[in-house]
């Protein structure tokens, strides 16, 4: 297994090294995670920011060099970030209604293919749009947000799968494809599935929000009524206070709204409810030699998972995949809640930054059925 080092701006080959048996590959939708490799060279022709590609491995991994550290004369420790971190630039965002996949494609082209800054453009990057999903994004005026955050919001709520792959010509790496496709299947996974081991389930210390109350601001002219939304056990949002699918234990959250906010209240409610619904942490390892569910093959980051444990069902998203010292098993995380202190701090900082963004998402997700295991 080799780690190939490529120039960030041109993708020109720079160096390579054989990967030692000790390594860790971490992919995460919620927080920034680092992967680590030990390669058998004490001197590498590589720099922080370069692209790395894992070759001759069971999975395809593309990353960005975050740190290089010579451990002795014959080995170098390489710390990397997922390739999608290359999109972590702050951009102005505007409200949008229409094809969400086209919206994301246009942002990527604008900032990485036709930017006025030539050094920011990635000539080797090909953006393939293979999905069409109608939806709505609403941002407060003059909002600046990380493009990576916009991508995360879209994948969580619209069933878009964002993936990368390397292209070769006669064994030489020539480009990177960024694919925008649709999640075409969801998985119903039971905790007693024989390939699952080391299952740990942590719910957030706070109860899931299932009722939202919007109070009119004092200076409203057109809209002065109190608006309530309820999360149903089916995952839908309703304004029917007597709906039979309402949660029996009420957990409410309140906001104020202006006249301009009123038409967007339903999208704001959906966004808030979705965030609350994913506030759990389900971790387990899964053997990759099973013929049913295989991470990075038919189970990828962003996939929707209905996880059934005894008499409780979690509507969740696959948010983390990790491989340690081999590919015979993968370590999986469902949900957005994190249990490690460092991860909690990182997630808290992220939530504080996004709390002022006034982002609203109108989801178009329907029930997905890719099998029950």
């Amino acid at each position: 297994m080799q780690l190939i080092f490529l120039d960030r701006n041109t993708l020109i080959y720079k160096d390579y090294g054989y990967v030692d048996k000790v390594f860790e590959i971490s992919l995460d939708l919620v927080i920034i995670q680092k992967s680590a490799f030990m390669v058998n060279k004490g001197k590498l022709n590589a720099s922080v920011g370069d692209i790395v590609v894992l070759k001759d491995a069971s999975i395809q991994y593309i990353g960005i060099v975050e740190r290089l550290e010579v451990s002795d004369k014959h080995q170098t420790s390489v710390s990397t970030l997922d390739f999608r971190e290359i999109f972590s630039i702050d951009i102005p965002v505007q409200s949008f209604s229409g094809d969400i996949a086209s919206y994301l494609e246009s942002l990527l082209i604008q900032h990485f293919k036709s930017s006025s800054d030539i050094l920011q453009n990635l000539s080797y990057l090909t953006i393939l749009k293979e999905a069409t999903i109608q939806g709505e994004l609403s941002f407060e005026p003059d909002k600046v947000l990380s493009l990576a955050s916009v991508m995360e919001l879209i994948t969580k709520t619209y069933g878009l799968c964002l993936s990368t792959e390397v292209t070769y010509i006669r064994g030489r790496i020539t480009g990177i494809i960024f694919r925008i496709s649709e999640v075409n299947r969801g998985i119903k996974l039971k905790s007693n599935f024989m390939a699952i081991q080391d299952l740990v389930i942590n719910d957030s210390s706070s109860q899931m929000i299932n009722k939202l109350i919007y109070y009119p601001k004092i200076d409203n002219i057109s809209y002065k009524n109190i608006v309530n939304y309820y999360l149903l056990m089916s995952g839908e949002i309703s304004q029917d206070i007597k709906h039979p699918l309402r949660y029996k234990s009420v957990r409410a959250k309140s906001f104020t709204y202006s006249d301009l906010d009123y038409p967007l209240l339903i999208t704001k409610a959906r966004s808030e409810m979705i965030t609350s619904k994913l506030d759990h942490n389900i971790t387990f390892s899964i053997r990759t030699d099973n013929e049913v569910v295989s991470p990075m093959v038919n189970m990828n980051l962003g996939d929707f998972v209905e996880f059934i444990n005894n008499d409780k069902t979690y509507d969740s998203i696959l948010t983390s995949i990790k491989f340690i010292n081999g590919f015979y098993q993968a370590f999986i995380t469902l949900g957005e809640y994190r249990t490690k202190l460092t991860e909690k701090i990182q997630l808290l900082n992220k939530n504080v930054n996004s709390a002022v963004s006034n982002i609203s998402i109108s989801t178009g997700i329907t029930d997905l059925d890719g099998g029950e295991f």
Side-chain angles (χ1 to χ4, degrees), residues 143-312:
K143 180 62 187 174
V144 173
L145 192 64
S146 166
L147 176 55
S149 296
V150 175
M151 293 165 63
E152 179 192 339
L153 290 168
I154 289 174
T155 56
K156 281 196 309 186
T157 56
Y158 283 103
L160 284 179
C161 176
L162 308 180
S163 59
T164 55
E165 61 185 80
V166 174
T167 58
Y168 295 86
I169 296 180
R170 294 185 293 275
R172 183 172 63 90
I173 297 173
T174 57
I176 294 177
I177 297 175
F178 185 83
R179 198 179 298 274
I180 306 172
S181 56
E182 186 173 357
V183 175
N184 53 23
R185 51 182 275 155
I187 295 174
K188 292 183 180 180
L189 192 59
K190 294 181 179 179
S191 60
N192 60 0
F193 178 52
M194 61 181 182
I196 289 179
Q197 299 174 330
D198 308 315
L199 174 66
V200 177
I201 298 178
N202 288 284
D203 284 320
S204 169
S205 58
S206 60
Q207 183 185 347
M208 179 177 62
I209 303 298
N210 52 53
K211 177 182 178 180
L212 294 176
I213 309 169
Y214 290 94
Y215 294 97
K217 291 185 176 180
I218 296 176
D219 56 355
N220 280 12
I221 297 175
S222 301
Y223 302 100
K224 297 181 178 293
N225 55 313
I226 298 173
V227 182
N228 295 293
Y229 292 101
Y230 310 100
L231 177 65
L232 305 182
M233 288 183 281
S234 63
E236 299 174 334
I237 307 296
S238 174
Q239 288 188 272
D240 182 1
I241 194 172
K242 297 182 179 180
H243 199 290
L245 293 181
R246 281 193 61 193
Y247 286 89
K248 305 304 179 185
S249 179
V250 176
R251 170 69 172 170
K253 192 172 183 179
S254 299
F255 301 91
T256 59
Y257 74 89
S258 66
D259 283 338
L260 292 177
D261 291 331
Y262 186 81
L264 303 174
L265 291 185
I266 182 61
T267 61
K268 294 177 185 292
R270 285 196 181 104
S271 176
E272 186 69 33
M273 297 289 196
I274 289 172
T275 300
S276 179
K277 198 168 186 178
L278 294 174
D279 203 11
H280 55 256
N281 177 274
I282 302 171
T283 60
F284 55 86
S285 61
I286 186 167
R287 300 194 311 274
T288 55
D289 60 356
N290 78 86
E291 298 179 355
V292 180
V293 180
S294 183
M296 305 295 288
V297 178
N298 63 357
M299 186 181 187
N300 294 289
L301 287 181
D303 281 358
F304 295 91
V305 180
E306 183 179 281
F307 191 82
I308 303 170
N309 181 50
N310 298 325
D311 59 348
K312 187 168 184 179

Side-chain angles (χ1 to χ4, degrees), residues 266-372:
I266 182 61
T267 61
K268 294 177 185 292
R270 285 196 181 104
S271 176
E272 186 69 33
M273 297 289 196
I274 289 172
T275 300
S276 179
K277 198 168 186 178
L278 294 174
D279 203 11
H280 55 256
N281 177 274
I282 302 171
T283 60
F284 55 86
S285 61
I286 186 167
R287 300 194 311 274
T288 55
D289 60 356
N290 78 86
E291 298 179 355
V292 180
V293 180
S294 183
M296 305 295 288
V297 178
N298 63 357
M299 186 181 187
N300 294 289
L301 287 181
D303 281 358
F304 295 91
V305 180
E306 183 179 281
F307 191 82
I308 303 170
N309 181 50
N310 298 325
D311 59 348
K312 187 168 184 179
T313 298
Y314 296 85
D315 292 323
S316 194
I317 292 178
L318 200 167
T319 55
S320 177
I321 301 176
K322 183 179 295 186
F323 297 93
I324 301 177
N325 303 335
F327 300 103
Y328 59 93
Q329 70 175 345
F331 299 88
I332 303 297
T333 300
L334 307 179
E336 293 193 336
Y337 183 61
R338 292 296 185 259
T339 56
K340 293 182 179 179
L341 178 59
T342 53
E343 294 178 343
K344 284 183 176 181
I345 293 172
Q346 190 178 158
L347 190 56
L348 177 61
N349 290 336
K350 174 183 170 183
N351 289 339
V352 168
N353 291 335
S354 64
V356 297
S357 62
N358 196 21
I359 301 167
S360 304
I361 306 171
S362 177
T363 178
I365 295 301
T366 56
D367 291 335
L368 302 174
D369 188 5
E372 182 172 330

